[in-house]
Amino acid sequence: MLEGKFSSGNGNTPAFWGYKCFTPEVLAFLRKIQLDYNLSNSAFAKVLGIHCTTLKKWLDGRILSCSPENYQSILKLLKGDFDEKLREARQVDAFLQRVRNLYGQRIRVQYALLELYRKFGVLYLQIRSIPRIARSFIHIIREFLEHPVTSIGMNHGDAVIERLLSEKEISASKSFPSTFSSELEFDWGIALYQHRVFVHLSQSSLADLFDVDWTTIRNWEHRKRCGLRGGNMAKIQIFLRGEADSYLLNHYHYISAQREIYDFLPLILRRLLEKTQILLQHVSQKGNDAVSLLFHGLGQCLEQLQNLVLSVSL
């Protein structure tokens, strides 16, 4: 399946490097392996020990040769020597996809909701000394929250979210403390607890990621009934290595932003924010369309409030 001839070389690559040429059968085999194991380019590339860009160029047919080292890796793949690595990579990919699904969209809309109420708070502080206008301001928000989501109107919620998030940058992620020590016997139960606390996840939230009951997380952290079934140990290792932190640290920043905005908002707006968060949880169960409708309505609500404040200032 791999041609044995050497590359004749070009202006940049000497012929003695011995680059092997791919055949269409080899490319078809690589694509089939990736499809069978349902792997992303980055996960498959990690198994082969190459950069994901190189793999993408192979699969797209833009590079039809490889180095002798990569040639040996492909031979091992053909012989089935990488089957165990492929299965582990599939577990890693599935776990990270679960993290993305649970936190990616959820954190995005939570940030947007906080940013909306921050804007509400800025406007409210400008007119709170005028009781009649302040009452109208609160009435507009309350009236919106009492309406069914289906009556909000056209589905432009995604545009509202993107506009809100583009106006507020989230701080960069923190580096997380090392949970491993070469001098002490490693206790993964303690490490799991430490890293969970660092990324500000409850036992229930971590249980959602691992697709287990929260009592299982508690038992793992206390090393009780620690028989790990399926790929749970692989998931724990991924979590402890920080491979999911790019998603989970968004959760950390959301909590930080929530605390800051709660401190900033007047009490009456805090209560309305809590109501809106409950409504958000409710509509999330109906799918993305309902969430988009909710944010479209909140965007319209913000416009009304801005016009109200503007009319007072004029």
Side-chain angles (χ1 to χ4, degrees):
M1 293 178 73
L2 286 170
E3 294 177 7
K5 65 180 183 179
F6 292 98
S7 168
S8 60
N10 53 35
N12 299 319
T13 307
F16 60 78
W17 273 94
Y19 279 66
K20 303 291 182 178
C21 298
F22 291 153
T23 64
E25 292 81 7
V26 171
L27 293 178
F29 172 75
L30 290 175
R31 294 187 188 107
K32 183 177 184 302
I33 288 291
Q34 184 179 26
L35 183 63
D36 288 348
Y37 283 90
N38 193 25
L39 295 175
S40 64
N41 282 348
S42 59
F44 193 22
K46 191 176 289 187
V47 171
L48 294 173
I50 60 175
H51 195 276
C52 62
T53 304
T54 302
L55 176 66
K56 190 173 188 305
K57 289 179 179 179
W58 286 1
L59 298 175
D60 292 345
R62 285 184 285 165
I63 296 179
L64 297 177
S65 60
C66 66
S67 68
E69 293 81 5
N70 292 337
Y71 173 75
Q72 293 300 321
S73 295
I74 294 175
L75 288 179
K76 290 180 181 179
L77 187 68
L78 289 167
K79 291 188 292 185
D81 293 350
F82 284 165
D83 286 357
E84 185 61 34
K85 281 188 175 181
L86 288 168
R87 282 191 289 270
E88 183 178 344
R90 180 170 57 187
Q91 291 177 340
V92 169
D93 246 18
F95 178 65
L96 292 178
Q97 185 59 47
R98 185 169 181 80
V99 175
R100 285 192 289 270
N101 290 342
L102 283 171
Y103 281 90
Q105 181 68 11
R106 183 189 302 176
I107 295 301
R108 180 171 173 262
V109 297
Q110 287 173 334
Y111 273 137
L113 184 60
L114 289 177
E115 179 61 9
L116 267 168
Y117 268 86
R118 187 189 67 78
K119 290 177 179 292
F120 289 171
V122 170
L123 292 171
Y124 184 74
L125 291 177
Q126 296 178 42
I127 51 89
R128 67 184 303 178
S129 60
I130 310 173
R132 181 178 59 83
I133 302 298
R135 284 195 297 270
S136 298
F137 186 100
I138 297 302
H139 177 73
I140 290 173
I141 303 176
R142 280 180 175 160
E143 187 177 47
F144 165 74
L145 294 178
E146 290 170 0
H147 279 36
V149 175
T150 52
S151 68
I152 292 173
M154 295 177 62
N155 186 353
H156 296 304
D158 285 339
V160 175
I161 294 174
E162 291 298 341
R163 180 172 60 82
L164 286 166
L165 295 183
S166 65
E167 294 173 2
K168 182 179 181 181
E169 295 184 1
I170 306 303
S171 58
S173 63
K174 285 186 174 182
S175 60
F176 63 94
S178 173
T179 53
F180 298 94
S181 172
S182 58
E183 300 176 359
L184 302 173
E185 181 182 354
F186 177 65
D187 188 325
W188 60 262
I190 292 176
L192 184 65
Y193 166 77
Q194 289 176 339
H195 199 61
R196 175 179 67 77
V197 170
F198 174 74
V199 294
H200 296 263
L201 286 177
S202 65
Q203 289 181 337
S204 296
S205 297
L206 189 58
D208 284 343
L209 295 184
F210 283 90
D211 198 19
V212 297
D213 189 78
W214 75 271
T215 56
T216 302
I217 300 296
R218 181 189 62 189
N219 290 337
W220 286 353
E221 292 182 351
H222 290 86
R223 302 302 299 270
K224 297 177 182 177
R225 297 193 295 278
C226 290
L228 293 171
R229 284 177 278 180
N232 284 332
M233 181 52 85
K235 294 176 185 178
I236 290 173
Q237 291 170 345
I238 296 163
F239 179 70
L240 293 181
R241 287 197 299 262
E243 294 182 28
D245 279 2
S246 59
Y247 308 101
L248 298 178
L249 283 170
N250 276 337
H251 170 82
Y252 167 80
H253 290 305
Y254 162 68
I255 290 175
S256 298
Q258 187 178 42
R259 288 172 179 163
E260 291 171 8
I261 291 175
Y262 262 74
D263 291 342
F264 161 75
L265 290 177
L267 179 60
I268 193 163
L269 286 179
R270 289 187 210 175
R271 290 173 178 166
L272 290 173
L273 174 57
E274 289 166 2
K275 280 188 175 182
T276 313
Q277 286 173 323
I278 293 171
L279 179 59
L280 177 60
Q281 292 175 3
H282 174 69
V283 300
S284 296
Q285 298 171 2
K286 300 180 180 179
N288 291 335
D289 288 344
V291 173
S292 293
L293 289 173
L294 172 64
F295 273 91
H296 175 61
L298 286 168
Q300 291 181 327
C301 191
L302 177 61
E303 289 178 8
Q304 290 182 51
L305 298 176
Q306 288 171 333
N307 292 334
L308 177 65
V309 174
L310 182 61
S311 67
V312 174
S313 61
L314 293 176

